[in-house]
């Protein structure tokens, strides 16, 4: 049964379709290989037949031609039918001509079409040869056509092992398309090794299949290693090229040069790269509006460029192109796709603004400022509200005085003419202006400067109006002699009517008069001095006294002006010496310089004459001498080695007209180096100076005083404490006051006196009188107080004068003193009654 199935499959295939073999024989080059392809007996027009590697035969060919018009050979060696063909004869052949037009070389390839019977005969003869020759178990090149029409199962290849001559071999395969996705796409006949495909394959999904073939014996022995088998899927042009965008939008400036780049389109194709199936060609199908052809497209890159320089946005601002991309390098049977490209024409400043009128007439009243007097309009075909459309206006002529300005209204693009400086009808009744206009953006076309700007003329008529009085010039002056008597009259400020050039009818009023020196006549404007005028007053600068005058006309219009009263100087001030104290440091200098000033005008001032004023019985000339330095200064010398001290030296100074003033100088002869040193001395003759203390010295003195007060306070407190020490014996000796004691009985160690009263100190040396009776002494943490019986005996007998002795030294060793000690019973009898009394007294006090 297994042997019958391959036979039926082969016979069925022969009945369903007649197969032909296309054998390509190359006689010109040994590098060309023999290629065998299986194709259906009926081929439609534009059907892919196979591919020939032409580069191995003739690399420099630039012209490919087929001798049979039913077949077409492309640059990559692909063979396509141009017409529908039915191969019924056993053999058909044609020639492929390869030539190079540059070096006149050519090659020919013979294409032979054979009937299937010859293919079978060759297969039988080949099998006989294979039986005689040793065959190899090796990879076999295998391919299949994408989207094949069958019939299926479609025979692809036969695999055989050399060991089949000695063994019964079973063939099997594994891998993608067999036991992995896509499952059951391929199978192999177990006995013959014939490989079949069961259904069409899409190359864009599976470019190739890598299978593993096995050869085994019926008992499972594997005489061969697994054989890799690659099945390549031959591409078919079944995918349309697709543009990357459905609509492309580009922008290009108007009036651009020919060849300017507009933009680039791009398309993709899923078919096999670097084949005719993916070799795309771009073109423009249609242009809207359908005017002259303005754009071109590069067929390979898809770059759109301008083919004309007549793009005018003002005529057409947008174009729409219908573009196409086609594979198979643009062959008529290639697959194609279309898209839309919109090209917007960008505006440039290729249109000048022009005035709608060449001349304008307007009017304005004199003395008006910041007032709009005219609006002018322009036309511009460029895009509105852009720099190519917005206008800039300028005044070319007639505005030399700066009375006008023109600006652009941003909303309407109009030019607005303003008066910014008042016009005077009496000076000029009409003004002629020339205005021009340009765009904000520079003009794009090459043109002369005259044609770039549009101009127009504007006539401005100045209207007259009643202006009132005019104060011109604004500052007027009159001259009055200094110290003139009150009531002196002089011409005043004069205003006039600009139309009549007359001052009649104008009234005057004084606005400011710093010193109140003058009055103003209301009708004439003349002035009268109210008091004597002094030129040397501090408020007068340069000999001029200024007042402000208000002039008013009949209609109430006013103007203001300044009247400067020039005071003619009189020689009424003598020269004086401003520095009236002079210091001469006698150790380093013998003279001092003095200078004089005169507040009068220079014509009444220097040169000055300096002289010493004689004083009776003063001997001024004997002690001092003057020499002239210049017109305003002199030098004062002392004579006869004067002693240190102050001196009064009167000096007379005369001006050029003989007016003089005596200035008493205080001259100080000082034992110093500089004048500042002398200023610190109290007695310039002896050099005894005053002492100035700094802040740190004052602080040190205060701290010292505070320290002295602290010491004095300590001494006073110590003396007061010594005076308040308690007495050696209590005053109330008869009552025997109770004394606190830390012991209930007298100790063994105690001091004794001749009268039987004892006090002792444990672990201490006796000082003074060896303790104070009736008081406690703390030594070593023990306090002992004993009651004395009476008497005022001390231990003076046991103490040397001015020396301190211990008790032991006083005793001369350990001496028993029982005879001077009370017994315990005596002491107990003495203290108990008193303790009771004191307890009752203390208890009573507590209750109270």
């Amino acid at each position: 049964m297994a042997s019958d199935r391959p036979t039926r499959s082969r016979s069925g295939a022969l009945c369903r379709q007649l197969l032909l073999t296309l054998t390509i024989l190359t006689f010109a080059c040994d590098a060309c290989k023999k290629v065998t392809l299986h194709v259906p007996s009926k081929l439609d027009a534009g059907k892919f037949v196979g591919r020939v590697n032409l580069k191995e035969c003739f690399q420099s060919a630039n012209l490919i031609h087929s001798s049979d018009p039913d077949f077409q050979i492309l640059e990559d060696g692909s063979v396509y039918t141009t017409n529908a063909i039915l191969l019924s004869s056993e053999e058909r052949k044609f020639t492929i001509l390869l030539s190079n037009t540059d070096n006149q070389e050519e090659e020919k390839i013979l294409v032979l079409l054979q009937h299937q019977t010859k293919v079978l005969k060759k297969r039988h003869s080949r099998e006989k040869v294979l039986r005689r020759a040793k065959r190899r178990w090796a990879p076999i090149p295998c391919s299949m056509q994408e989207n094949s029409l069958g019939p299926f199962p479609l025979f692809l290849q036969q695999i055989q092992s050399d060991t089949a001559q000695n063994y019964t071999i079973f063939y099997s395969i594994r891998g993608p398309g067999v036991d992995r996705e896509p499952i059951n796409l391929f199978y192999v006949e177990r006995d013959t090794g014939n490989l079949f495909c069961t259904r069409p394959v899409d190359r864009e999904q599976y470019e190739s299949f890598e299978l593993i073939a096995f050869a085994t014996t019926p008992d499972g022995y594997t005489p061969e290693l697994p054989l890799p088998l690659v099945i390549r899927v031959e591409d078919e042009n079944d995918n349309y090229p697709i543009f990357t965008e459905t609509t492309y939008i580009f922008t290009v400036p108007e009036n651009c040069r020919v060849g300017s780049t507009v933009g680039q389109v791009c398309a993709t194709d899923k078919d096999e790269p670097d084949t005719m199936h993916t070799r795309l060609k771009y073109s423009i199908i249609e242009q809207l509006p359908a005017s002259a052809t303005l754009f071109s497209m590069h067929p390979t890159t898809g770059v759109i460029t301008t083919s004309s320089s007549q793009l005018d946005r003002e005529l057409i601002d947008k174009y729409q192109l219908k573009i196409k991309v086609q594979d198979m390098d643009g062959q008529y049977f290639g697959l194609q796709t279309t898209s839309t490209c919109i090209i917007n024409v960008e505006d440039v400043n290729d249109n000048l603004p022009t005035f709608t009128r060449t001349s304008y007439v307007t009017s304005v009243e004199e003395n008006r400022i910041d007032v709009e007097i005219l609006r002018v309009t322009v036309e511009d075909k460029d895009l509105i509200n852009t720099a190519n459309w917005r206008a800039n206006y300028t005044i070319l002529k007639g505005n030399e005085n700066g009375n006008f300005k023109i600006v652009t209204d941003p909303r309407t693009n109009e030019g607005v003419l303003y008066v910014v400086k008042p016009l005077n009808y009496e000076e000029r009744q009409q003004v002629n202006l020339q205005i021009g206009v340009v765009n904000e953006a520079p003009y794009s076309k090459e043109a002369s400067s005259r044609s770039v700007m549009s101009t127009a003329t504007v006539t401005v008529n100045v209207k007259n109006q009643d202006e009132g009085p005019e104060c011109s010039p604004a500052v007027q002056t009159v001259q009055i002699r200094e110290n003139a008597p009150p009531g002196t009259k002089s011409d005043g400020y004069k205003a006039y009517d600009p139309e009549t050039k007359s001052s009649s009818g104008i009234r005057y009023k004084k606005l400011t008069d710093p010193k109140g020196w003058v009055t103003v006549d209301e009708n004439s404007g003349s002035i009268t001095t109210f008091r004597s005028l002094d030129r040397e007053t501090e408020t007068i600068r340069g000999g001029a006294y200024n007042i402000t005058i208000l002039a008013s006309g009949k209609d109430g219009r006013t103007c203001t002006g300044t009247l400067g009263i020039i005071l003619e100087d009189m020689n009424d001030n003598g020269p004086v010496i401003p520095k009236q104290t002079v210091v001469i440091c006698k150790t380093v200098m013998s003279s001092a310089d003095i200078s004089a000033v005169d507040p009068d005008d220079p014509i009444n001032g220097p040169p000055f004459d300096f002289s010493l004023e004689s004083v009776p019985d003063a001997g001024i000339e004997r002690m001092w001498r003057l020499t002239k330095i210049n017109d305003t200064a002199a030098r004062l010398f002392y004579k006869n080695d004067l002693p240190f001290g102050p001196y009064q030296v009167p000096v007379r100074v005369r001006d050029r007209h003989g007016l003089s003033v005596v200035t008493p100088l205080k001259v100080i002869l000082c034992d110093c180096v500089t004048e500042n040193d002398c200023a610190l001395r109290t007695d310039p003759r002896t050099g005894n100076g005053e002492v100035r203390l700094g802040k740190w010295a004052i602080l040190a003195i205060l701290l010292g005083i505070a320290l002295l007060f602290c010491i004095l306070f300590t001494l006073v407190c110590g003396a007061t404490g010594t005076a308040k020490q308690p007495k050696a014996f209590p005053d109330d000796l008869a009552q025997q006051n109770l004394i606190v004691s830390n012991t209930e009985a007298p100790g063994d160690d105690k001091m004794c006196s001749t009268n039987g009263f004892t006090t002792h100190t444990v672990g201490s040396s006796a000082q003074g009188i060896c303790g104070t009776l009736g008081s406690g002494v703390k030594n070593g943490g023990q306090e002992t107080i004993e009651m004395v019986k009476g008497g005022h005996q001390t231990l003076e007998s046991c103490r040397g004068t001015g020396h301190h002795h211990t008790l032991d030294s006083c005793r001369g060793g350990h001496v028993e003193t029982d005879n001077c000690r009370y017994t315990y019973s005596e002491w107990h009898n003495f203290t108990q009654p008193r303790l009771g009394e004191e307890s009752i007294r203390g208890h009573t006090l507590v209750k109270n």
Side-chain angles (χ1 to χ4, degrees), residues 591-604:
S591 63
D593 294 340
I594 57 178
S595 61
V597 295
D598 193 333
D600 288 330
D601 195 72
I603 196 173
N604 297 320

Side-chain angles (χ1 to χ4, degrees), residues 351-360 376-380 391-396 406 434-439 448-457:
N351 293 278
L352 292 173
T354 57
F355 286 102
T356 57
R357 295 169 55 184
T358 58
S359 62
Y360 299 87
V376 296
T377 58
V378 294
E379 291 181 350
D380 196 325
N392 278 341
Y393 299 89
T394 183
I395 301 175
L396 302 177
I406 187 169
Q434 185 183 24
I435 58 176
V437 62
V438 294
N439 290 124
S448 62
S449 60
R450 290 185 178 180
S451 62
V452 170
M453 181 177 292
S454 175
T455 61
T457 59

Side-chain angles (χ1 to χ4, degrees), residues 19 36 75 131 197 266 280 303 399-400 487 489 501 553 620 653 702-703 739 770 790 805 812 821:
L19 298 178
T36 302
E75 294 179 2
R131 293 192 190 100
C197 177
C266 184
L280 307 181
V303 175
N399 193 34
E400 289 76 12
K489 293 186 178 182
K501 304 298 182 181
I620 299 300
V653 185
L702 293 177
L703 291 176
I739 300 174
C770 298
H805 301 277
R821 179 187 307 179

Side-chain angles (χ1 to χ4, degrees), residues 253-303:
E254 62 176 330
N255 301 322
C256 61
R257 296 181 179 180
V258 176
S260 299
T261 300
V262 178
Q264 184 178 14
V265 299
C266 184
T268 58
D269 196 323
K270 294 182 180 180
D271 288 325
E272 186 176 1
D274 300 324
T275 64
M276 292 297 293
H277 299 164
T278 55
R279 184 173 295 183
L280 307 181
K281 182 169 288 186
Y282 302 90
S283 60
I284 299 175
I285 301 176
E286 184 182 15
Q287 171 186 303
L288 295 176
S291 59
T293 302
L294 301 176
F295 305 97
S296 61
M297 177 179 286
H298 193 281
T300 304
T301 62
V303 175

Side-chain angles (χ1 to χ4, degrees), residues 15 48 118 215 420 474 563 575 583 608 619 690 756 837:
C15 295
F48 173 72
K118 290 190 175 183
V420 294
L563 178 63
V583 178
F608 299 140
E690 62 183 13
E837 294 175 1

Side-chain angles (χ1 to χ4, degrees), residues 396-410:
L396 302 177
K397 295 180 182 179
N399 193 34
E400 289 76 12
N401 295 329
N403 299 99
F404 304 93
K405 76 172 182 179
I406 187 169
V407 297
T408 304
D409 187 335

Side-chain angles (χ1 to χ4, degrees), residues 235-255:
D235 184 47
E236 184 182 24
N237 191 21
D238 58 340
N239 288 279
Y240 286 83
I242 300 174
F243 281 102
T244 56
E245 297 182 20
T246 56
T247 301
Y248 292 89
I249 299 177
F250 301 116
T251 301
V252 61
E254 62 176 330
N255 301 322

